[in-house]
Amino acid sequence: MTILIKNGHVLDPGTGLDDICDVLIDGDRITEVEKNIETESDRVIDAGGCWVMPGFTDLHVHFRDPGLEYKETLATGGRAAVRGGVTTVCAMPNTKPVIDNGVKVREVMERAKRESLTNVIQLGAVTRGQKGEELADINGMAENGCHAISEDGKSVMNASLYRKGMKAAKKEGIAVFAHCEDITMVEGGVMNADEKARELGLPGITNAVEDVIVARDILLAKETGVQLHLCHCSTADSVKMLALAKEEGLPVTGEVCPHHFILSTDDIREDDGNFKMNPPLRSREDVEALREALKNDVVDVIATDHAPHAEAEKNRSMKLAAFGIVGLETSAALTYTELVEKGVLTPMQMAEKMSYNPARILGLSDKGSVSAGKIADVVIFDPQKEYVIDKNTFLSKGKNTPFHGRKVRGEVRCTIVGGRIVYEGGKTID
């Protein structure tokens, strides 16, 4: 099938193209990006007034499949992803059972090809069962395409074992995605340790819970030489340490989620489980530091940490609610509204942090760019569309978001995965 996208404003971090052009897709590849392409095609899409960007790659999602399908599945997560313009996701391994060997990685990725509209890269655990006692089958998982290992949902507290895992990942040429949390310091905390926590009578989580492990993991990456990616940075000191690591030339990257660069504990008006996430919403000073780090390219990636839960697990006190927020269907609009429109990021930086940089971190050289020869993963984004976020319209099984009712600008109009239109006009196309 051939698709001709006409009159769109192409934002391509791979080539630096920032202009109105046409894009021709033939089969699963982009074949031409030029002005005024005149050719016969099976489908013509008028993208006038819209941005044409490489499909977004989300390095951090929880699809809950296998074992927790009541929260999300490969199918429902895939539909949510393409509605949000996300053409590739990294699925975290804290499923039931934990993804800790090559067979499990292969099984999920083979099922995803049949069941999911988006590309799914299944990450593997660092330790067997995520128990922190012995290393997982890192070689087998790498051979089956996991691209990175992560103990996401927790940290490997045994530094010696973690260093061995890093060495194994380095040997296999894959990255380590780090959830930075010293579990010995959490002490039952459910939100940021500040005046708002005291006001609500809730136990707090200090910034040091994250920062101590960020420092440790950077030092271990320095020693082992492994590619380290810091997940969901939430504190001013975490991005300060990331900046220092980059200044030293270490192979360290980092991500920030929309909820952390938008919301602070000032936004928590009551004891509401939809505001419970890990790491927690921090202070306004932390939020400003994260925004500055995004602006200055200290932070490489915007990811969601999409973490769906059943309503009964979230519609309760923060003391009892599960940690997590969904984000696949709101990330692009929130990024545009809060960062691009407000001058924190340029449109090209948005494309870099949601498309190009994540693809580079994963080593996906044929993705993250709208240029001839690349895989035709493309998103058409309308930056003028205004609407109110309505969780009841989400395609994800999870509706757990504090952004319900928030007015935003910017909507995904069309998502193309591997040359196939999978989302258009508000509907997924199976």
Side-chain angles (χ1 to χ4, degrees):
M1 180 178 180
T2 56
I3 302 171
L4 180 59
I5 304 172
K6 298 285 291 183
N7 308 314
H9 187 148
V10 177
L11 293 167
D12 180 21
T15 63
L17 179 62
D18 184 352
D19 201 357
I20 295 175
C21 287
D22 298 343
V23 178
L24 181 62
I25 295 170
D26 189 354
D28 67 350
R29 296 279 170 173
I30 298 168
T31 55
E32 191 176 357
V33 182
E34 298 289 347
K35 289 182 178 291
N36 303 315
I37 297 174
E38 298 293 339
T39 185
E40 293 291 326
S41 59
D42 298 310
R43 175 71 195 280
V44 177
I45 300 174
D46 183 0
C50 295
W51 296 350
V52 179
M53 296 184 281
F56 305 138
T57 292
D58 194 331
L59 296 183
H60 193 161
V61 309
H62 299 267
F63 273 3
R64 311 297 193 194
D65 191 349
L68 298 165
E69 292 89 352
Y70 74 96
K71 298 175 187 276
E72 195 77 287
T73 67
L74 293 170
T76 60
R79 285 194 285 271
V82 298
R83 184 189 184 196
V86 178
T87 57
T88 299
V89 301
C90 288
M92 290 298 166
N94 57 335
T95 50
K96 289 189 177 180
V98 169
I99 308 300
D100 57 8
N101 63 56
V103 172
K104 292 175 182 175
V105 168
R106 184 171 65 251
E107 286 176 348
V108 173
M109 291 178 67
E110 287 179 349
R111 279 205 302 117
K113 290 176 182 177
R114 301 189 301 269
E115 300 173 21
S116 183
L117 292 176
T118 196
N119 297 299
V120 177
I121 296 173
Q122 178 62 60
L123 301 193
V126 181
T127 69
R128 292 190 185 278
Q130 290 191 316
K131 295 179 179 178
E133 297 170 354
E134 58 179 321
L135 290 183
D137 175 23
I138 296 172
N139 170 261
M141 294 187 295
E143 288 181 346
N144 283 279
C146 75
H147 286 268
I149 54 174
S150 178
E151 204 81 344
D152 191 62
K154 60 179 73 175
S155 294
V156 180
M157 293 306 298
N158 183 325
S160 175
L161 183 64
Y162 196 39
R163 180 171 61 178
K164 291 175 182 176
M166 286 185 166
K167 288 180 177 178
K170 171 67 174 177
K171 181 180 179 182
E172 298 297 335
I174 61 175
V176 172
F177 284 18
H179 171 113
C180 296
E181 176 188 23
D182 188 328
I183 59 174
T184 67
M185 297 170 62
V186 175
E187 298 176 342
V190 298
M191 64 173 290
N192 193 52
D194 60 10
E195 184 57 39
K196 181 55 68 87
R198 289 186 285 275
E199 177 187 318
L200 295 174
L202 296 171
I205 300 171
T206 68
N207 286 27
V209 170
E210 177 174 333
D211 297 338
V212 165
I213 302 298
V214 169
R216 182 200 72 171
D217 288 6
I218 289 174
L219 291 171
L220 289 175
K222 179 179 180 178
E223 179 179 319
T224 62
V226 76
Q227 180 186 352
L228 176 68
H229 179 70
L230 301 175
C231 295
H232 47 46
C233 296
S234 74
T235 71
D237 283 336
S238 70
V239 293
K240 187 181 297 183
M241 287 185 277
L242 175 60
L244 290 171
K246 289 189 168 192
E247 286 176 14
E248 196 170 333
L250 301 181
V252 182
T253 55
E255 73 188 29
V256 171
C257 305
H259 47 280
H260 287 130
F261 67 65
I262 297 173
L263 301 175
S264 72
T265 54
D266 293 344
D267 296 290
I268 304 175
R269 308 297 184 191
E270 59 185 353
D271 182 5
D272 180 353
N274 284 304
F275 285 86
K276 183 179 180 181
M277 51 211 68
N278 189 16
L281 300 179
R282 300 291 189 181
S283 71
R284 179 50 53 184
E285 291 75 19
D286 288 307
V287 172
E288 291 306 316
L290 298 179
R291 291 164 75 95
E292 190 68 16
L294 282 160
K295 181 178 182 177
N296 295 331
D297 294 327
V298 170
V299 171
D300 311 84
V301 169
I302 292 171
T304 64
D305 192 10
H306 175 80
H309 292 290
E311 183 177 358
E313 295 171 322
K314 292 296 285 183
N315 190 21
R316 56 202 310 191
S317 167
M318 292 175 74
K319 286 184 178 180
L320 301 173
F323 286 101
I325 172 178
V326 292
L328 282 167
E329 295 167 77
T330 56
S331 181
L334 290 169
T335 297
Y336 177 77
T337 303
E338 296 294 331
L339 298 183
V340 179
E341 275 209 316
K342 294 182 179 180
V344 179
L345 297 183
T346 65
M348 187 66 82
Q349 281 181 304
M350 176 178 170
E352 288 171 354
K353 295 179 191 301
M354 298 188 73
S355 302
Y356 183 77
N357 290 347
R360 299 289 77 75
I361 288 169
L362 293 171
L364 303 176
S365 59
D366 57 354
K367 297 192 178 189
S369 175
V370 183
S371 57
K374 301 298 184 181
I375 292 287
D377 289 352
V378 178
V379 59
I380 300 174
F381 181 79
D382 181 356
Q384 300 303 315
K385 176 70 173 180
E386 284 189 344
Y387 58 100
V388 173
I389 293 173
D390 182 357
K391 67 180 183 180
N392 298 305
T393 68
F394 287 176
L395 300 182
S396 169
K397 285 189 176 184
K399 317 299 179 188
N400 45 299
T401 177
F403 292 116
H404 176 66
R406 191 182 190 94
K407 188 176 182 179
V408 291
R409 189 193 295 264
E411 183 178 59
V412 172
R413 182 172 145 190
C414 179
T415 304
I416 300 170
V417 176
R420 186 166 72 93
I421 298 171
V422 294
Y423 178 82
E424 186 176 28
K427 297 180 180 179
T428 56
I429 304 169
D430 293 299

